[in-house]
Amino acid sequence: MLKGAITIQANNLYDIKSVLTQIEQVSQFSQDNAGITRLAFTPADYQARNYIISLMQTSGLTVHIDAIGNIIGRFVPEGTDSSPAVATGSHLDTVPSGGKYDGVLGIVCGLAAINRLKSQSDIRHPLEVIVFAAKESSRFNLPTIGSKAMAGLVTAATLNAIKDQDGIALAAELAAIGFQTKQISTASRSKNSIKGFVELHIEQGQVLEQGRIRIGIVDKVSAPTRLKITVRGTAGHSSVAPIEERQDALVSAAMIILAVRNIAAEYEYQGTVATVTILKTYPGSINVIPGQVEMWVDIRGTEHESVIEILQEIKDAVSSIADDYNTPVAIEVLSSEKPILLDDTINQIMEAACCKLKQTSVRLDSRVSHDAMNIAHIAPAGVLLIPCKDGISYNACQEAAPEDIAAGLDVLTEILYQLAK
Amino acid sequence: MLKGAITIQANNLYDIKSVLTQIEQVSQFSQDNAGITRLAFTPADYQARNYIISLMQTSGLTVHIDAIGNIIGRFVPEGTDSSPAVATGSHLDTVPSGGKYDGVLGIVCGLAAINRLKSQSDIRHPLEVIVFAAKESSRFNLPTIGSKAMAGLVTAATLNAIKDQDGIALAAELAAIGFQTKQISTASRSKNSIKGFVELHIEQGQVLEQGRIRIGIVDKVSAPTRLKITVRGTAGHSSVAPIEERQDALVSAAMIILAVRNIAAEYEYQGTVATVTILKTYPGSINVIPGQVEMWVDIRGTEHESVIEILQEIKDAVSSIADDYNTPVAIEVLSSEKPILLDDTINQIMEAACCKLKQTSVRLDSRVSHDAMNIAHIAPAGVLLIPCKDGISYNACQEAAPEDIAAGLDVLTEILYQLAK
């Protein structure tokens, strides 16, 4: 019987101290020393993956790696093999110079929760902790690739077209671990293979911290809409005058950055924001007026209508800047996915778990993508958030308090138990 | 006797047709197909250098390469070896995606002029055409390295600190052609080794074209003042709101770009402009608010006072933006050289040559750096400009009309003759 009283054994794979140690351990696997940089399928990512695989094996889980590189650690109580699984998990890859809790938290807590539940006699479903491959879009420009594949949302043709900034194909990385993209359908799971999925994650916002609330329960997850804007000017020697007659692509780009920022400030009350996140100047020589600028815009909103509107406003502003400064602009919509409504039944179970464990909770929407939004296509899925310090994420300063992590682990364990019993 | 009547021999190394063919030939040596990219000491640069060396040898010039890689082609009329040289020349390296006339024009016309003068019996000085190494700052961030070394303006310590963006040391490139930076003083020439130096170049502006004037005679050359501005914000997930509370380094950078542009528009009547030419975003991930931006500013002015003033205005604007948006900014002055006054006696000879050959001319200032500005420290030096189409430079569309090139060659030949006879 669980009843708010899973025995926590010190120095064991499922106590909070071990969880914190494991988070520290994974944070050592980084491509550099500026925060944590562990892009998908890099050596640092494989180090982290192998470490987690060894933890799974030590915990007695069977480990399966699917055709997109998702790692599935599975504990099957006797006689439950044909039942749908109760699953949890998150990702190990990071953005460049990211933080140590993002993704990792959900994996080590998921493993700890399963370890706590292993000895429960009334578990009637297999328990799984899943490491989703290539969640961040930092390397391959497409987010949540692993969970998309598991939900059957990505084709071999799409995968074959994906390359990183150095021109290295995703297909080549998969081939290196023995998979061919044409096998991708083997990674997808049927709608009755998972009874429920819950992902524990840090908030990456300040709703919980400012409201002094321990647990966030996500109603809706925004999927990003992404644009690539190319501004064409005329390169010339940096001494060229008059300034008014220049077609300086970077000056137009600056106007666009400020326009996007002002439009975002207007729309944020609707839960929608937009950000210019990357900018590149060409030819990139210290004495040459920029002849071309490429910039990437990330739009996040939990209301699809609002995303459509902000996109139109950005397009209008960009085209007016292009005309005013005689610098033609091309806008390419790289991706545009609708916000995902998560499962209300799961959310009620999450609320009940918080109540039972006397943890404050709140329902909220998330502008941050999570793998759960893809799994929601094949199973009831939920996202459980704990506070992060100052809302800082994607930054080496990312912090989560041990007491919040402990609370998150307890609530996650209770939820998985309620789903699995 | 010269007297406006040097015989032009068809299909010879010094006719205008050959000059145009040689310019085309050098334009084939490029690292890529987007304009001409021939950064200093790259294989494309060596191809161009070797081609010019072979032309020098065919013309009977002795070829010497100095310790910084400058190529000196020298013709010594009998009995003149101990006299100071009359020299011309320019550079072969380009900015990325540059044009085919920039630099090359001055070398092939210089060679053609010497070929024309070789048979004159009244030449009393050695004639030299010089290929200055690494004129553009595109690769090593320092402009006119070759002519600085020839004028004794650069030390071994400075050279040893220079690396390109890939971390390749200039010293390593020099070592590859057999030179050590500690030998650099052997590249410097004494004040009595050159009687006069004239560089023929395209204008890279529109004064000549708009005034329908054939020849520009430069009074003063601006040396660039260069800044690196680093804006520090706070990286975070691109969903973070409120927008007002973000410390988005790219938004502050956009403000700075526009401030620099507006300040430049105010100052251009003084002959001073400023341009943000390169910008880099960090961490450079599509879903992360830029936590840091690096930007490079190039300031050009022919009046030192005006450069000092614009620099102060930029610093004030940057610091006010840093305060307003809570994004600390560091400004590093990478280089700051005073404008160089060229030699008035040389300029009078240039004017007289234009008169004699019935070519229109005008005195003007140049915001573009030329190797002549360094040679001016050790010898009377001048810069002769011909029009370029639409003032376009540092761009694949760079064009110079054959009749302007022919006029430039004729005037250059006459000037060298007047100096050497």
Side-chain angles (χ1 to χ4, degrees):
Chain A
M1 252 290 288
L2 188 83
K3 201 158 181 288
I6 299 164
T7 316
I8 295 181
Q9 294 178 11
N11 300 318
N12 209 321
L13 278 172
Y14 48 96
D15 71 352
I16 182 65
K17 204 170 143 196
S18 299
V19 160
L20 296 177
T21 306
Q22 289 160 16
I23 290 172
E24 285 305 321
Q25 181 58 46
V26 176
S27 77
Q28 305 303 311
F29 306 129
S30 175
Q31 295 168 236
D32 55 41
N33 295 319
I36 294 152
T37 301
R38 198 165 53 230
L39 302 192
F41 301 126
T42 59
D45 190 30
Y46 280 114
Q47 287 178 314
R49 290 164 57 90
N50 289 336
Y51 172 72
I52 295 295
I53 288 171
S54 74
L55 289 183
M56 287 173 168
Q57 288 167 337
T58 307
S59 301
L61 275 58
T62 58
V63 175
H64 169 67
I65 300 179
D66 71 16
I68 194 72
N70 294 321
I71 303 166
I72 301 149
R74 184 172 161 103
F75 172 74
V76 187
E78 212 179 312
T80 67
D81 201 16
S82 58
S83 299
V86 169
T88 183
S90 195
H91 60 97
L92 286 174
D93 65 322
T94 72
V95 297
S97 304
K100 62 183 164 191
Y101 301 95
D102 186 353
V104 178
L105 178 81
I107 291 167
V108 300
C109 286
L111 188 59
I114 291 177
N115 270 299
R116 289 181 176 187
L117 293 173
K118 273 191 322 196
S119 56
Q120 297 297 117
S121 57
D122 52 351
I123 301 295
R124 297 167 185 215
H125 295 270
L127 299 171
E128 291 181 3
V129 56
I130 304 172
V131 176
F132 293 105
K135 185 264 175 181
E136 302 291 358
S137 46
S138 306
R139 180 164 179 200
F140 291 110
N141 255 330
L142 184 72
T144 61
I145 297 176
S147 52
K148 277 193 175 79
M150 190 176 284
L153 300 174
V154 70
T155 64
T158 301
L159 294 180
N160 287 335
I162 295 175
K163 288 183 178 167
D164 71 7
Q165 294 195 4
D166 297 329
I168 301 171
L170 172 60
E173 292 290 14
L174 290 174
I177 52 170
F179 296 110
Q180 295 181 288
T181 52
K182 66 181 180 191
Q183 304 169 314
I184 192 63
S185 64
T186 64
S188 74
R189 295 176 70 165
S190 68
K191 291 209 174 189
N192 54 14
S193 68
I194 298 174
K195 186 190 174 198
F197 174 83
V198 177
E199 178 170 3
L200 175 66
H201 207 282
I202 55 164
E203 183 193 351
Q204 304 175 269
Q206 290 185 271
V207 174
L208 300 180
E209 185 184 49
Q210 290 184 352
R212 294 167 181 268
I213 300 165
R214 191 80 85 175
I215 301 289
I217 295 166
V218 177
D219 279 325
K220 212 188 264 179
V221 182
S222 75
T225 293
R226 282 164 175 176
L227 315 178
K228 179 180 176 190
I229 299 179
T230 304
V231 185
R232 286 177 212 286
T234 302
H237 191 280
S238 53
S239 69
V240 169
I243 297 289
E244 288 290 343
E245 288 180 16
R246 287 184 179 182
Q247 294 164 291
D248 183 331
L250 187 57
V251 166
S252 296
M255 302 274 183
I256 293 171
I257 293 162
L258 299 181
V260 168
R261 190 245 182 218
N262 293 338
I263 293 168
E266 261 176 55
Y267 274 80
E268 66 184 0
Y269 83 96
Q270 297 182 6
T272 304
V273 292
T275 315
V276 180
T277 52
I278 311 176
L279 188 147
K280 294 181 182 175
T281 44
Y282 300 92
S285 183
I286 196 163
N287 55 342
V288 183
I289 298 168
Q292 183 166 322
V293 167
E294 293 174 349
M295 53 211 291
W296 281 260
V297 181
D298 184 286
I299 303 173
R300 301 280 172 144
T302 47
E303 300 298 329
H304 189 56
E305 282 310 305
S306 173
V307 171
I308 299 291
E309 273 176 47
I310 203 171
L311 180 56
Q312 192 54 50
E313 281 232 28
I314 290 172
K315 284 181 175 175
D316 291 349
V318 164
S319 116
S320 136
I321 291 164
D323 289 350
D324 289 354
Y325 292 87
N326 197 16
T327 47
V329 175
I331 300 181
E332 188 185 347
V333 178
L334 300 176
S335 66
S336 180
E337 296 166 27
K338 286 192 178 176
I340 305 295
L341 204 62
L342 295 178
D343 188 80
D344 193 57
T345 309
I346 294 274
N347 283 356
Q348 287 178 27
I349 294 171
M350 297 211 266
E351 276 178 331
C354 291
C355 262
K356 183 165 171 186
L357 300 181
K358 300 194 178 8
Q359 299 293 357
T360 49
S361 73
V362 66
R363 296 270 192 127
L364 41 68
D365 290 341
S366 169
R367 281 190 293 260
V368 181
S369 301
H370 293 292
D371 289 303
M373 76 190 186
N374 295 321
I375 301 307
H377 287 87
I378 53 167
V383 174
L384 192 67
L385 301 176
I386 62 166
C388 64
K389 190 160 173 287
D390 300 329
I392 291 174
S393 178
Y394 288 16
N395 188 307
C397 307
Q398 186 180 87
E399 279 292 345
E403 57 273 25
D404 291 332
I405 296 175
L409 171 56
D410 289 349
V411 173
L412 176 66
T413 310
E414 171 67 16
I415 294 164
L416 295 179
Y417 174 68
Q418 292 299 332
L419 285 166
K421 75 175 181 183
Chain B
M1 252 291 287
L2 189 84
K3 204 160 179 285
I6 299 163
T7 316
I8 296 180
Q9 295 178 11
N11 299 318
N12 209 321
L13 277 172
Y14 48 95
D15 72 353
I16 181 65
K17 204 170 143 197
S18 298
V19 160
L20 296 177
T21 306
Q22 288 160 16
I23 290 171
E24 283 306 320
Q25 181 57 46
V26 176
S27 77
Q28 306 303 309
F29 306 130
S30 175
Q31 295 167 238
D32 54 41
N33 296 319
I36 294 151
T37 301
R38 198 165 54 231
L39 301 192
F41 302 125
T42 59
D45 190 30
Y46 280 115
Q47 287 178 314
R49 290 163 58 89
N50 290 336
Y51 172 71
I52 295 295
I53 289 171
S54 74
L55 288 184
M56 287 173 169
Q57 288 167 336
T58 306
S59 301
L61 275 58
T62 58
V63 175
H64 169 66
I65 300 178
D66 71 15
I68 194 71
N70 294 321
I71 303 166
I72 301 149
R74 184 172 162 103
F75 172 73
V76 187
E78 212 179 311
T80 67
D81 201 15
S82 58
S83 300
V86 169
T88 183
S90 194
H91 60 98
L92 286 173
D93 64 321
T94 72
V95 298
S97 304
K100 62 183 162 190
Y101 301 95
D102 187 352
V104 178
L105 178 80
I107 291 167
V108 299
C109 285
L111 187 59
I114 291 177
N115 271 300
R116 289 180 177 188
L117 293 172
K118 273 192 321 195
S119 56
Q120 297 296 119
S121 57
D122 54 350
I123 301 294
R124 297 166 186 216
H125 295 270
L127 300 171
E128 291 181 3
V129 56
I130 304 172
V131 176
F132 293 105
K135 185 264 174 181
E136 301 292 357
S137 46
S138 306
R139 181 164 178 201
F140 291 111
N141 255 331
L142 184 73
T144 61
I145 296 176
S147 52
K148 276 194 175 80
M150 189 176 284
L153 301 173
V154 70
T155 63
T158 302
L159 294 180
N160 288 335
I162 294 176
K163 289 183 178 166
D164 71 7
Q165 293 195 4
D166 298 328
I168 300 170
L170 171 60
E173 293 290 15
L174 290 175
I177 52 171
F179 296 110
Q180 294 181 288
T181 52
K182 65 181 179 189
Q183 305 169 313
I184 193 63
S185 63
T186 65
S188 74
R189 295 177 70 166
S190 68
K191 290 209 174 189
N192 53 13
S193 68
I194 299 174
K195 185 189 176 199
F197 174 83
V198 177
E199 179 170 3
L200 175 65
H201 208 282
I202 54 163
E203 183 194 350
Q204 304 175 269
Q206 290 184 272
V207 174
L208 300 180
E209 185 184 49
Q210 290 184 352
R212 294 168 181 268
I213 300 164
R214 191 80 84 174
I215 301 289
I217 294 167
V218 177
D219 279 325
K220 211 189 266 178
V221 182
S222 75
T225 293
R226 282 164 176 176
L227 315 178
K228 180 181 175 190
I229 300 179
T230 304
V231 185
R232 286 176 211 285
T234 303
H237 191 279
S238 53
S239 69
V240 168
I243 298 288
E244 288 289 342
E245 288 180 14
R246 287 184 179 183
Q247 293 164 292
D248 183 330
L250 187 56
V251 166
S252 296
M255 302 273 183
I256 292 171
I257 293 163
L258 299 181
V260 168
R261 190 246 181 218
N262 292 339
I263 292 168
E266 260 176 56
Y267 274 79
E268 67 184 1
Y269 83 96
Q270 295 184 4
T272 305
V273 291
T275 314
V276 180
T277 52
I278 311 176
L279 187 147
K280 294 181 182 174
T281 44
Y282 300 92
S285 182
I286 196 163
N287 55 343
V288 183
I289 298 167
Q292 183 166 322
V293 167
E294 293 174 351
M295 53 212 291
W296 282 261
V297 181
D298 184 287
I299 302 174
R300 301 282 171 143
T302 47
E303 300 298 329
H304 189 56
E305 284 309 305
S306 172
V307 171
I308 300 290
E309 274 176 46
I310 203 171
L311 180 56
Q312 192 55 50
E313 280 232 28
I314 290 172
K315 284 180 175 175
D316 291 349
V318 164
S319 117
S320 135
I321 291 164
D323 289 350
D324 289 354
Y325 292 87
N326 197 14
T327 47
V329 174
I331 299 181
E332 187 184 348
V333 179
L334 300 176
S335 67
S336 180
E337 296 166 27
K338 285 193 180 175
I340 305 295
L341 204 62
L342 295 178
D343 189 78
D344 193 55
T345 310
I346 294 274
N347 284 356
Q348 288 178 26
I349 295 171
M350 297 211 267
E351 277 178 330
C354 290
C355 260
K356 184 165 170 185
L357 300 181
K358 300 195 177 11
Q359 299 293 356
T360 49
S361 74
V362 66
R363 297 271 192 126
L364 41 69
D365 289 341
S366 169
R367 280 190 294 261
V368 180
S369 302
H370 293 294
D371 289 304
M373 75 190 188
N374 294 321
I375 301 307
H377 287 87
I378 53 166
V383 174
L384 192 66
L385 301 176
I386 61 166
C388 66
K389 190 162 174 284
D390 300 328
I392 290 173
S393 180
Y394 288 16
N395 187 307
C397 307
Q398 187 180 87
E399 279 293 343
E403 58 273 24
D404 291 331
I405 295 175
L409 171 56
D410 289 348
V411 173
L412 177 66
T413 309
E414 171 67 16
I415 296 164
L416 295 179
Y417 174 67
Q418 292 300 330
L419 285 166
K421 74 175 181 184

